[in-house]
Amino acid sequence: MKLPKFEPNEAILFGETADIYFARTIDILRNEGLNPVATMEVFSSRAGILCGMEEVKSLLTNVLPEGNREVWALDEGEAMSEKEVVLRITAPYQSYGLYETAIDGILAHCSGWATAARECVEAARGIPVISFGVRHVHPLVVGVMDYAAIIGGCAGCSSIAGAKLAGIEPSGTMPHALIIIMGDTVTATIAFDKYMPPEVPRVSLVDTFKDEAEESLRVAQALGDKLDSVRLDTPSERGGVTADLVKEVRARLDLAGFKQVKIFVSGDIDPERISYFIESEALVDGFGVGSYISGAKPVDFTADLHEVEGKPIAKRGRIPGITPNPRLKRVM
Amino acid sequence: MKLPKFEPNEAILFGETADIYFARTIDILRNEGLNPVATMEVFSSRAGILCGMEEVKSLLTNVLPEGNREVWALDEGEAMSEKEVVLRITAPYQSYGLYETAIDGILAHCSGWATAARECVEAARGIPVISFGVRHVHPLVVGVMDYAAIIGGCAGCSSIAGAKLAGIEPSGTMPHALIIIMGDTVTATIAFDKYMPPEVPRVSLVDTFKDEAEESLRVAQALGDKLDSVRLDTPSERGGVTADLVKEVRARLDLAGFKQVKIFVSGDIDPERISYFIESEALVDGFGVGSYISGAKPVDFTADLHEVEGKPIAKRGRIPGITPNPRLKRVM
Amino acid sequence: MKLPKFEPNEAILFGETADIYFARTIDILRNEGLNPVATMEVFSSRAGILCGMEEVKSLLTNVLPEGNREVWALDEGEAMSEKEVVLRITAPYQSYGLYETAIDGILAHCSGWATAARECVEAARGIPVISFGVRHVHPLVVGVMDYAAIIGGCAGCSSIAGAKLAGIEPSGTMPHALIIIMGDTVTATIAFDKYMPPEVPRVSLVDTFKDEAEESLRVAQALGDKLDSVRLDTPSERGGVTADLVKEVRARLDLAGFKQVKIFVSGDIDPERISYFIESEALVDGFGVGSYISGAKPVDFTADLHEVEGKPIAKRGRIPGITPNPRLKRVM
Amino acid sequence: MKLPKFEPNEAILFGETADIYFARTIDILRNEGLNPVATMEVFSSRAGILCGMEEVKSLLTNVLPEGNREVWALDEGEAMSEKEVVLRITAPYQSYGLYETAIDGILAHCSGWATAARECVEAARGIPVISFGVRHVHPLVVGVMDYAAIIGGCAGCSSIAGAKLAGIEPSGTMPHALIIIMGDTVTATIAFDKYMPPEVPRVSLVDTFKDEAEESLRVAQALGDKLDSVRLDTPSERGGVTADLVKEVRARLDLAGFKQVKIFVSGDIDPERISYFIESEALVDGFGVGSYISGAKPVDFTADLHEVEGKPIAKRGRIPGITPNPRLKRVM
Amino acid sequence: MKLPKFEPNEAILFGETADIYFARTIDILRNEGLNPVATMEVFSSRAGILCGMEEVKSLLTNVLPEGNREVWALDEGEAMSEKEVVLRITAPYQSYGLYETAIDGILAHCSGWATAARECVEAARGIPVISFGVRHVHPLVVGVMDYAAIIGGCAGCSSIAGAKLAGIEPSGTMPHALIIIMGDTVTATIAFDKYMPPEVPRVSLVDTFKDEAEESLRVAQALGDKLDSVRLDTPSERGGVTADLVKEVRARLDLAGFKQVKIFVSGDIDPERISYFIESEALVDGFGVGSYISGAKPVDFTADLHEVEGKPIAKRGRIPGITPNPRLKRVM
Amino acid sequence: MKLPKFEPNEAILFGETADIYFARTIDILRNEGLNPVATMEVFSSRAGILCGMEEVKSLLTNVLPEGNREVWALDEGEAMSEKEVVLRITAPYQSYGLYETAIDGILAHCSGWATAARECVEAARGIPVISFGVRHVHPLVVGVMDYAAIIGGCAGCSSIAGAKLAGIEPSGTMPHALIIIMGDTVTATIAFDKYMPPEVPRVSLVDTFKDEAEESLRVAQALGDKLDSVRLDTPSERGGVTADLVKEVRARLDLAGFKQVKIFVSGDIDPERISYFIESEALVDGFGVGSYISGAKPVDFTADLHEVEGKPIAKRGRIPGITPNPRLKRVM
């Protein structure tokens, strides 16, 4: 995948999203005429998948003075271990001190999403995982969230904004709303097939009004070879999607001659549920994951000064001087 | 507090942050010529503090046809119970169907933050809690996050963007970076005092280079009556801030005649830690809370159609027709 | 309820079902010419509902010598506490020594079933519980098992043999087999209605081929006022019967005007599940309980000699002499 | 072991022990003139030892029409896995539909007992296990219970009825009652020896009045070479039988020259206690097991129709058509 | 009880039992000519019964200069809470600095024993508890251990040294060794009765060779009214003493007319076991407690300087100055 | 290490520390003229390190008749397993019966301390462990406690008495009291250096007034090459010593050129904490262990007679006759 070009927005550049005390610090240092070259290191609080580094680099490119800067970093999407230094900046402190909040925040949120996505993808052992969770985050971060899910290994995502950032096509089936408005699953599926461009796969949602097995056969009979998949999204009030339901729908489709129709599962999916389907030998062809990825806990990052004007220094609790990490690459 | 005026941005209005299948649904319905008046209800997955409703209402005002809409909702900041309907929209479906994702997402993320903030505030029993967690979220949501923390009951927040949304002044002390650059806590505190406007409280961070108790006395002696507080932020490598440390610093300050200097505590603070300080009778004057609020799990919301053209309907697992909730107020 | 008349069968009377060592003991005592009047006490290992005493008394009436016997007992169906003496026999030892096995066994098995039934009945707080578990026990004990369930408080039972012993009519709905053979739930329900006598309630099993809510409406429309209940027996492969399913079926039936149709629930029902439905406020009108009652662990009973020829005696671990229990009544 | 010949009793054949709804189903089908050839499969709810199949086959032989039946089954005593199909019947439905209850019940109860017996036998690693639990079940099932224990691997059983079914001699020692009536363990043991046929092993129960070690030496001295074993059955009030007690009795017997006398242990024995004795290296020569076997939970079985007139069919939650199981053998 | 007069031994006074660094500290201060009046406070690490204070005061009387000392303390045997200051010494530091180790050690070990004794006494609700644990401690501390047990509330102790310190008569029954040497319990009991002075209660140990119940009756018949008690000390290999054994021995003694004979229980007794007997309503007349008291964990004590020459001071982690405790009394 | 020469004191020899009933037993036997040769075996209740045997042997040498005694034992410091016989005495019973209490007590207390010491030493994998716990035991056992710690593997101990018994020099650093009296850590360290003989290592305690890292550098700069180690003893009120603190102090010392200064850790150290430092790769050079060793639970020992006049005998619960143990060596 080709990495996107990020552009820092004005609120970030003007420090509006920063902790106020960084703004005050810059103010004091300017008054004091202090602007030493300082080295700041950023490390993660736990192991995971690093994400957000491209956006951070775009920010640093905008603010660090070109002739007086040295930046070392891990790559977007790399696995990082607990307490590993993932970024080291050496430059005049006034040029970047205001952005400590933004650097930490971009990495924290994006790495949290990418790490959760990776856990799902690993549990799925090759079966495609699609990010379906934009409804659990504020629209302002829908794009970066779905982008991070793709960095973490998802095969697709449901939002237009995320897909654009990741350079892919968005994925989608049909919502319950369409079926409820049209009054019947088969009617809605036929309408979907009638108006959607041919490259959009025909995936019918089969749990709205009737039994899933009965409805699967009805849509298969209505669309024939054109039906790509059925999606099972049984609500928890009805016991959720069980491995036995998947097996039964598979068996009844096969018995009726629809072996080519795939089964897509969604609804409260997380790595544990994915493993349950796989270990139960239920033949799922794709998983839609929602809040496990989009509601993932951010991976906290911490930034510390380790050298000022070339001299090792650190606050209590930290080791003064550069922390060795041979995995870092020079990026600026 | 006066509620802010939100303006929906273009990406949301154009549906870029929506699940693609809602865009397709609107497309199909237009082709079919179907635009029934439909009633959608939104309910929360768990109890908490509702937040984001002002932003949702601003979005709906922009999209629903003025003469043909009815919207009922709970207020921003109200407590809601598990599975409670917090919003009910009746309008032509094509006018709002595309925004189901954004409505759910705004409420989910903001209510998650506000609910976590409320837990801290309740544990603190009147001692002010300040939101200090912007470094754990993407800068794009720094403003709404800190705004939600204030809605949840926080007395202040550290970001300029959040404070602006909430109509208050941002709160801040001084970062370790300032002290490391200036080389000494007392020097940094004097500089802070010299350049900052008088209305900014003088809060000195006392754990950077020397023992907290020793440093507290040093800054108190240097600033005298002008010192508002010391902040304890001892890192976990040094055992974190303990209730006994607070008591000892309090006792040593009192013994030296600095009874007016307050003690502010930060670092891995959550409701359990807040209760620990209070139950240990350590006299803390303020808590700074970070990732417990900003990294809070969103409160999932679900939107369902319950009536189409006045007729009760619902997908399997739901009860057809309007769900009674006398707490809802008509807002549009 | 009028208690039935039990008749001991020949295998029991001839000692075929006894432990062999009791037969040998009688043999030795006869050879030695020893037949002292001895007092045997029987106590239960745990608290519960006493059942089987009527059958035991019928056995004792057959074997104890009329002029030389004294029997004290608790009543059929009484609650007993842990280690309580429930039966005391004083008679020549040769007349009853052979039946210690049978006495213990009748009380153990029947009290186990009655105790489990009582737990379900108490959990159900007035909602009728029907014993549906004959398929989990050997046909030879079907009658006594269902009889014990009734003694424990069940409102009905499914076996003809059990109902006969308890002096009631057997209860039944319709099996999946009837619907599968006839090919459709509505067809089967109409046939059931056509041939069954009017006093048999029309209870339709609604989970065989179609969604439970859809099928409930279909049978209600087909039978109208004649329909007494629907039975929900959703298999675990489909998530079992949930409280939400009950609520939804209730709501959809009410919405369609079938408020008089009752809802009966079966499938893995035990006291915990019964409480779950009640605490979830799902309006269940009857519970069918299977293996929780019929597969209940027997309540072990122990018989000990406490007097021989009027002299207190006991094995190690027991107190010699009569154990006082004012609740015992003289029955022979 | 030669399998016994079972004869179905009249109550079963006349359907008295059946669930009433099967009787009604046959009635309705007769009225409708429906008697299709149907295939019913029976599977177990958990892994275990299959028992009761001989009795089920005897029932089917009596009721299925000879020219129009096909029955496949596992063998009596075979290990079965969870959800394995153990029996498949293809015949006109009216000929066997009434017996679904009895088939399930015979297999459930007998397999429960055989499975528990097998667990004890496996724990005992070659040391004989005797079924001593008839006092915990109703006398009507004493025979089938002890028979099932033998099928599960027990070396003997205490009931005459069970031994007869299994084609062996019943096993027994002496009860506390004999010793209490005769007033002394040695006197009772001498009387036992005097009147019992020579092939009955002389096993003396040594915990009634005196210390087990002292009494063991007394009976050994009284009977000399004729003493086969002592039985330890110390009640829980006295701490039960401990591994150390077994070792001490063994050592004291050996020291006194009675190395040939064996030690038999009973009282609350289950697989865990058996393992405890073996792992403690206490030399036990035989275990008597009571309620662990006779009070075992039945293994639930479920019967489903999978074909009607050769066409695959099934209720929701099941896979239509024959379930492949190469372990089944055609038995009819 | 009258408190004993303690005399510090030479090894303590010469500092041989001190931590070497205190000896060095005194050495350095002498060389430096430093001997300020200093205040040392001693506090306990957990709640319990204070013991050892009399011995500490005797030590301080020997070493503190009479005209220049002030000592405040809690009383021997008082309950103390967690972290409570139990002793405060103000005197020239050189006079007592060497004895910090001894002061802490005396209080720690003695309070540990007294606290454990108190737990047993409280559990026993008035039934006498005797300290029987000298065999678990080094003979050098046998006296102080049993003394501390009496301070904690025990009614007696088994050692001559402990009884002397506490000013009471030692308590004892008879050991297994006496019975084994003499070959029979009754013979040993008669010999005990023959030679022991009349004021020694006749307590017979009844578990050595024969069953406890049988032996109890034998010694009661042999000694008649002279028998005070039987002691049950059944080893764990025989299941230990159970509440049911106590009840049975009581019942058999009563039945035989020996209602005046008391029952004394020993062997692995601790508060939990004491409560077990009491809650089981087993009528125990006395408990002998061994390692629960004598092997009790010491209660750690800590000594800190809080003032030097009248000025508040303290190491990090402590509050400078006198710690207020109104419960302290001036003792010197 | 050369084992010390123990001398039994008078209180032990006169039986004052014995259980009174042994004194009475000897009295009775003398009156009866009974003094058989008897064999007593002593076994431990759990696995551990045997200690106290040298002292026991010194006692036995004093009391057993030279021509009529046979003693077998394990060596001081040997590992013993659960229930292993560690001592076997054959001699006229009157010569040693009185000392059963002392023998058990010496072994119990000393083996308890040695076993706990060994656990620390094993956890430390070669890093020296010093016994620092005399303040938790009564001064009368300070010597034997520290001696036992050395037998268990400690490299040193803090008491003069213990070091003398073990034939080594006592180990010590400096107490907080010295620093508090002198007012500053550097001042105290310089005084220590000035007056202490050259063979005493200069170990400075660095947590009294200032931050540990800061203080470590101050004392290193003051003493230069003469400084052997710093001791970290951070109190729990300040989070205790953490692995990260050790690493940081190590790094800051190294960075300042003091690589030869070692780090010694004390305060609540036990095997788990030792493993924590080692697994965290914190380079600790020595551990000071306090109450984990000195407050260790004694290892209970039991003494039983197994032969009287050459004939096997034993109380109930034990096996009569000599218990084979090829590891025993004849020592007398």
Side-chain angles (χ1 to χ4, degrees), chain C residues 125-292:
Chain C
R125 304 184 208 166
I127 299 169
V129 174
I130 311 294
S131 173
F132 261 22
V134 286
R135 75 186 55 201
H136 306 298
V137 294
H138 196 282
L140 290 170
V141 286
V142 152
V144 286
M145 189 280 288
D146 262 352
Y147 162 74
I150 301 296
I151 289 293
C154 282
C157 66
S158 66
S159 75
I160 301 162
K164 194 189 293 180
L165 259 184
I168 59 172
E169 286 302 308
S171 301
T173 63
M174 68 180 60
H176 290 107
L178 174 65
I179 297 166
I180 292 174
I181 296 285
M182 302 204 65
D184 179 68
T185 299
V186 170
T187 313
T189 304
I190 289 170
F192 185 95
D193 178 47
K194 184 168 167 195
Y195 301 114
M196 288 298 105
E199 68 273 16
V200 174
R202 273 56 184 158
V203 184
S204 182
L205 174 60
V206 292
D207 57 33
T208 307
F209 291 127
K210 286 174 164 289
D211 181 68
E212 293 86 346
E214 184 183 6
E215 198 78 291
S216 295
L217 291 172
R218 288 178 74 229
V219 296
Q221 277 144 2
L223 250 67
D225 284 357
K226 286 189 291 181
L227 187 67
D228 180 84
S229 324
V230 293
R231 173 159 73 103
L232 302 175
D233 188 56
T234 313
S236 62
E237 289 87 348
R238 289 298 189 94
V241 182
T242 67
D244 283 313
L245 175 60
V246 172
K247 290 179 186 178
E248 182 188 341
V249 170
R250 179 76 274 153
R252 292 188 188 263
L253 282 170
D254 289 356
L255 215 61
F258 299 107
K259 296 193 184 235
Q260 90 291 351
V261 174
K262 288 180 284 186
I263 297 176
F264 191 88
V265 167
S266 59
D268 286 328
I269 301 299
D270 58 20
E272 198 180 333
R273 291 265 298 157
I274 290 174
S275 295
Y276 151 75
F277 284 108
I278 289 177
E279 279 155 24
S280 306
E281 300 182 6
L283 297 174
V284 174
D285 298 293
F287 292 103
V289 178
S291 68
Y292 186 80

Side-chain angles (χ1 to χ4, degrees), chain D residues 117-129 270-271 274-275 278 284 286-287 289:
Chain D
R118 177 62 53 89
E119 292 169 31
C120 295
V121 167
E122 284 180 353
R125 303 185 209 164
I127 298 170
V129 174
D270 59 20
I274 291 174
S275 295
I278 289 177
V284 174
F287 292 102
V289 178

Side-chain angles (χ1 to χ4, degrees), chain E residues 116-133 146 149-150 152-158 168 171 264-265 269-271 274-275 278 284-290 292-293:
Chain E
R118 178 64 52 91
E119 293 169 29
C120 295
V121 167
E122 286 181 353
R125 303 184 208 167
I127 299 170
V129 173
I130 311 296
S131 172
F132 261 23
D146 262 352
I150 301 295
C154 282
C157 65
S158 66
I168 58 171
S171 302
F264 192 89
V265 167
I269 302 298
D270 59 19
I274 290 173
S275 296
I278 289 177
V284 174
D285 298 293
F287 291 103
V289 177
Y292 186 80
I293 294 173

Side-chain angles (χ1 to χ4, degrees), chain E residues 107-254:
Chain E
L107 296 179
H109 229 160
C110 295
S111 299
W113 291 316
T115 301
R118 178 64 52 91
E119 293 169 29
C120 295
V121 167
E122 286 181 353
R125 303 184 208 167
I127 299 170
V129 173
I130 311 296
S131 172
F132 261 23
V134 285
R135 77 188 53 202
H136 306 298
V137 294
H138 196 281
L140 290 171
V141 287
V142 152
V144 287
M145 188 281 288
D146 262 352
Y147 162 75
I150 301 295
I151 290 294
C154 282
C157 65
S158 66
S159 75
I160 301 163
K164 198 189 294 180
L165 259 183
I168 58 171
E169 287 300 309
S171 302
T173 62
M174 68 180 59
H176 290 106
L178 175 65
I179 296 165
I180 292 174
I181 296 286
M182 300 204 69
D184 178 68
T185 299
V186 170
T187 313
T189 304
I190 288 170
F192 186 94
D193 178 47
K194 185 169 163 194
Y195 300 114
M196 288 297 105
E199 67 273 14
V200 174
R202 273 57 184 157
V203 184
S204 182
L205 174 60
V206 293
D207 58 33
T208 308
F209 291 127
K210 286 173 164 291
D211 181 67
E212 294 85 347
E214 184 185 5
E215 199 78 291
S216 295
L217 290 173
R218 286 180 74 228
V219 295
Q221 277 145 0
L223 249 68
D225 283 358
K226 288 189 290 183
L227 187 68
D228 181 83
S229 324
V230 294
R231 174 159 73 101
L232 302 175
D233 188 58
T234 313
S236 63
E237 290 88 347
R238 288 300 189 90
V241 182
T242 67
D244 284 313
L245 175 60
V246 172
K247 290 179 186 177
E248 182 188 341
V249 169
R250 181 75 272 154
R252 293 187 188 264
L253 282 171
D254 289 354

Side-chain angles (χ1 to χ4, degrees), chain E:
Chain E
M1 142 182 192
K2 194 170 151 296
L3 291 172
K5 179 105 194 64
F6 286 91
E7 258 327 306
N9 75 14
E10 296 209 336
I12 298 174
L13 286 174
F14 290 179
E16 279 182 31
T17 65
D19 288 289
I20 181 75
Y21 66 14
F22 286 118
R24 289 175 180 160
T25 290
I26 299 302
D27 203 12
I28 292 164
L29 294 179
R30 276 195 196 123
N31 273 291
E32 289 279 320
L34 284 173
N35 192 15
V37 168
T39 296
M40 185 169 84
E41 293 186 346
V42 180
F43 68 92
S44 72
S45 59
R46 53 181 166 98
I49 299 302
L50 178 66
C51 187
M53 189 54 86
E54 285 302 302
E55 192 173 355
V56 166
K57 288 188 325 205
S58 121
L59 171 61
L60 292 175
T61 305
N62 271 272
V63 301
L64 297 183
E66 244 176 274
N68 192 4
R69 70 191 188 193
E70 186 174 330
V71 180
W72 294 72
L74 292 189
D75 282 343
E76 189 86 329
E78 274 196 276
M80 60 191 172
S81 50
E82 192 187 332
K83 299 221 168 179
E84 179 167 9
V85 173
V86 301
L87 174 67
R88 186 191 301 125
I89 302 166
T90 303
Y93 182 74
Q94 286 189 22
S95 67
Y96 69 85
L98 185 59
Y99 305 107
E100 182 174 330
T101 313
I103 292 167
D104 282 356
I106 291 167
L107 296 179
H109 229 160
C110 295
S111 299
W113 291 316
T115 301
R118 178 64 52 91
E119 293 169 29
C120 295
V121 167
E122 286 181 353
R125 303 184 208 167
I127 299 170
V129 173
I130 311 296
S131 172
F132 261 23
V134 285
R135 77 188 53 202
H136 306 298
V137 294
H138 196 281
L140 290 171
V141 287
V142 152
V144 287
M145 188 281 288
D146 262 352
Y147 162 75
I150 301 295
I151 290 294
C154 282
C157 65
S158 66
S159 75
I160 301 163
K164 198 189 294 180
L165 259 183
I168 58 171
E169 287 300 309
S171 302
T173 62
M174 68 180 59
H176 290 106
L178 175 65
I179 296 165
I180 292 174
I181 296 286
M182 300 204 69
D184 178 68
T185 299
V186 170
T187 313
T189 304
I190 288 170
F192 186 94
D193 178 47
K194 185 169 163 194
Y195 300 114
M196 288 297 105
E199 67 273 14
V200 174
R202 273 57 184 157
V203 184
S204 182
L205 174 60
V206 293
D207 58 33
T208 308
F209 291 127
K210 286 173 164 291
D211 181 67
E212 294 85 347
E214 184 185 5
E215 199 78 291
S216 295
L217 290 173
R218 286 180 74 228
V219 295
Q221 277 145 0
L223 249 68
D225 283 358
K226 288 189 290 183
L227 187 68
D228 181 83
S229 324
V230 294
R231 174 159 73 101
L232 302 175
D233 188 58
T234 313
S236 63
E237 290 88 347
R238 288 300 189 90
V241 182
T242 67
D244 284 313
L245 175 60
V246 172
K247 290 179 186 177
E248 182 188 341
V249 169
R250 181 75 272 154
R252 293 187 188 264
L253 282 171
D254 289 354
L255 214 63
F258 299 107
K259 294 191 185 236
Q260 91 290 350
V261 175
K262 289 180 283 187
I263 296 176
F264 192 89
V265 167
S266 60
D268 285 328
I269 302 298
D270 59 19
E272 196 181 334
R273 291 266 297 158
I274 290 173
S275 296
Y276 150 74
F277 283 108
I278 289 177
E279 280 156 22
S280 306
E281 302 184 4
L283 297 174
V284 174
D285 298 293
F287 291 103
V289 177
S291 68
Y292 186 80
I293 294 173
S294 62
K297 188 100 185 147
V299 172
D300 297 350
F301 280 84
T302 304
D304 282 309
L305 293 182
H306 278 259
E307 279 192 5
V308 174
E309 294 291 8
K311 280 188 300 236
I313 192 167
K315 69 169 197 173
R316 284 162 75 229
R318 300 285 186 275
I319 310 294
I322 300 299
T323 310
N325 183 4
R327 298 180 66 221
L328 291 173
K329 279 139 280 189
R330 176 141 189 202
V331 295
M332 224 173 283

Side-chain angles (χ1 to χ4, degrees), chain A residues 104-121:
Chain A
D104 282 356
I106 292 167
L107 296 179
H109 229 160
C110 294
S111 299
W113 291 317
T115 299
R118 177 64 52 92
E119 293 169 30
C120 296
V121 167

Side-chain angles (χ1 to χ4, degrees), chain B residues 172-174 189 192 200-205 227-231 264:
Chain B
T173 64
M174 69 181 58
T189 305
F192 186 95
V200 174
R202 272 58 183 156
V203 184
S204 181
L205 175 59
L227 187 67
D228 180 82
S229 326
V230 293
R231 173 160 72 102
F264 192 89

